[in-house]
Amino acid sequence: MFAHRATIGAANYRGRFFVNRSVYGDGSTGYFSKTFSGAGNQKKFTVSLWVKLAKPGTLQRLFEAYAAASNFFYLILNADNTLELAHYSAAYDFRYITTQLERDPSGWAHILVAVDTDAASGSRVKIYWNGSQITAFSTESEPSLSFTTDWAAASEHGLLGRPPSVAGDYFYGYAAEIVHVNAQQLTPSSFGFADAVTGSWHPKAYTGTYGTNGFHLDFANSPALGIDVSGNGNNWTVNGTVTQTTDSPTDKAASNIGNYCVWNRLTPASITSSSGTRDNLLGGCLSKAAVGSGGVFGTISFDSGKFFW
């Protein structure tokens, strides 16, 4: 196991909230799926999740609602490291592609998508990254007034990987605390807070209601990672290889919980292949092209403080 360092501002978690478990997708087979028995509010909802990227520069799906091959709603990380949220039904009903690049493999990030198509123009779709609203897009087209999306419908949904019914675009990294709140367009303050000293964004427990088809996956139950802890009973099916881990956006050293150092794919070491279980954390191996020499750096540097392996 690679070096582990306490999360900055960990003292703020005393008496607050710890993310005790996450899941790791290996980019090849793992994802969660669910078909709701009935429809919820498809015009107003909030989806919150924490992610840590293991392989920036690859197309990866974070969540999707799939009504048909030409009718779906999705949030993806593109191969150029932009974030894209869109709804498609024969043509794009709305689409947002960020100009900022999301490619940091070293730390956890919070993504929040808040939709209300009944709201005034300019407020119908809001995307946040670590508590800050994203306002710069290379593509930006909003939904029409009172547009009905496929999210929370009585149709196939997917989390952390491939679209339902279509193989490919599996998630490669870590995810924690996935929450869907139906019939509310919430802000990041419902799910996180800024450290008073550093300004960095940290999780907090969601304490509100969930609404129809709302759910909360905390990944604490190892034999049943798709269990919904919201009280709604909206459990998800685990498909392929999804591994429970203690890599977390919060720190609890006594329980080996915290942000772990992994191989840094952004270093100029010309990484060409990988092998092993849970690549770039445990049992994995990154190799360099046979020509010349080089090294692979970790995502956490040694400066001060205490570390362990």
Side-chain angles (χ1 to χ4, degrees), residues 180-245:
H180 165 225
V181 178
N182 197 237
Q184 296 183 66
Q185 187 186 41
L186 300 175
T187 64
S189 62
S190 294
F191 306 94
F193 68 97
D195 186 284
V197 177
T198 67
S200 56
W201 191 251
H202 298 288
K204 77 176 185 182
Y206 175 69
T207 57
T209 58
Y210 293 87
T212 303
N213 291 348
F215 59 84
H216 180 179
L217 304 185
D218 66 358
F219 308 120
N221 188 333
S222 181
L225 292 174
I227 289 293
D228 171 26
V229 298
S230 73
N232 282 354
N234 288 320
N235 302 324
W236 289 66
T237 300
V238 182
N239 304 273
T241 303
V242 180
T243 307
Q244 186 189 62
T245 83

Side-chain angles (χ1 to χ4, degrees), residues 42-47 63 73-75 83-87 93-98 112-128 133-137 139-147 149 185-186:
Q42 297 171 237
K43 299 179 181 181
K44 183 187 291 188
F45 53 85
T46 302
V47 181
F63 59 76
F73 168 70
Y74 63 81
L75 177 70
L83 193 67
E84 178 177 346
L85 177 75
H87 194 285
D93 305 294
F94 61 86
R95 192 183 190 192
Y96 299 81
I97 302 177
T98 65
L112 185 74
V113 172
V115 175
D116 181 3
T117 64
D118 287 329
S121 178
S123 298
R124 293 170 192 162
V125 175
K126 299 178 181 180
I127 307 171
Y128 301 85
Q133 186 174 354
I134 299 174
T135 57
F137 301 95
T139 297
E140 182 179 8
S141 61
E142 71 174 351
S144 59
L145 181 63
S146 300
F147 179 78
T149 74
Q185 187 186 41
L186 300 175

Side-chain angles (χ1 to χ4, degrees), residues 26-41:
D26 66 359
S28 63
T29 63
Y31 69 102
F32 294 83
S33 62
K34 180 170 183 61
T35 299
F36 294 104
S37 59
N41 191 320

